[in-house]
Amino acid sequence: MAGFLEMYVVGGEGGFLGADGVNPIEALLLVGWSDRQWIEPHYFHRSLKPIGKVRVLIPATPEAPELLIDSCIAFLPRYFRSCPSFREVASELEGATRLDFHMHSDQIPGSWNRLREEARPIFESINIWSAKLTPVRGNQ
């Protein structure tokens, strides 16, 4: 059975110096688990779009160190359009619906690693929160 057990929330820092949590919420990056881990986005604004038509990202391994930066590049590309390699990667992914770093890493654009490194300083400035999802029952 597959389901979501974690998520990352991307958005603004609410209140003074972020004291009020996330506001506004831009997107959720939902982390699903089955025989492999996957990430898919949920957007709060219709204007947000992934790179190409990518709807799913499968990391090389669960908890791969690149999981979050790769997800942001794939699902929030507007942040990274200024990177020199962005257009090349976007062109190579024009019809792609998934990025599979685990079993189909040969289908990842050759310039992805370069884009990832160019994107790092931008990525570090994005506000991201994480949450583990646990069931709530009754009056807990």
Side-chain angles (χ1 to χ4, degrees), residues 31-98:
V31 182
W33 288 86
S34 183
D35 59 327
R36 297 190 288 165
Q37 183 185 57
W38 80 92
I39 295 83
E40 61 183 79
H42 175 79
Y43 299 113
F44 284 77
H45 304 284
R46 290 178 190 243
S47 63
L48 297 175
K49 305 253 186 261
I51 197 166
K53 296 178 181 175
V54 174
R55 295 297 306 155
V56 174
L57 182 142
I58 300 164
T61 62
E63 307 303 326
E66 303 86 10
L67 177 149
L68 201 47
I69 189 170
D70 289 344
S71 296
C72 285
I73 293 169
F75 301 128
L76 298 164
R78 69 182 190 88
Y79 286 106
F80 308 103
R81 293 189 197 287
S82 64
C83 294
S85 300
F86 181 82
R87 283 191 176 159
E88 182 180 349
V89 169
S91 174
E92 291 182 58
L93 291 175
E94 192 171 327
T97 58
R98 66 190 304 126

Side-chain angles (χ1 to χ4, degrees), residues 90-123:
S91 174
E92 291 182 58
L93 291 175
E94 192 171 327
T97 58
R98 66 190 304 126
L99 290 173
D100 188 341
F101 290 89
H102 178 231
M103 296 180 74
H104 297 285
S105 60
D106 58 321
Q107 296 173 5
I108 304 298
S111 51
W112 185 272
N113 287 334
R114 187 172 59 233
L115 175 58
R116 185 190 288 148
E117 292 313 308
E118 295 165 359
R120 250 180 235 290
I122 298 165
F123 170 72

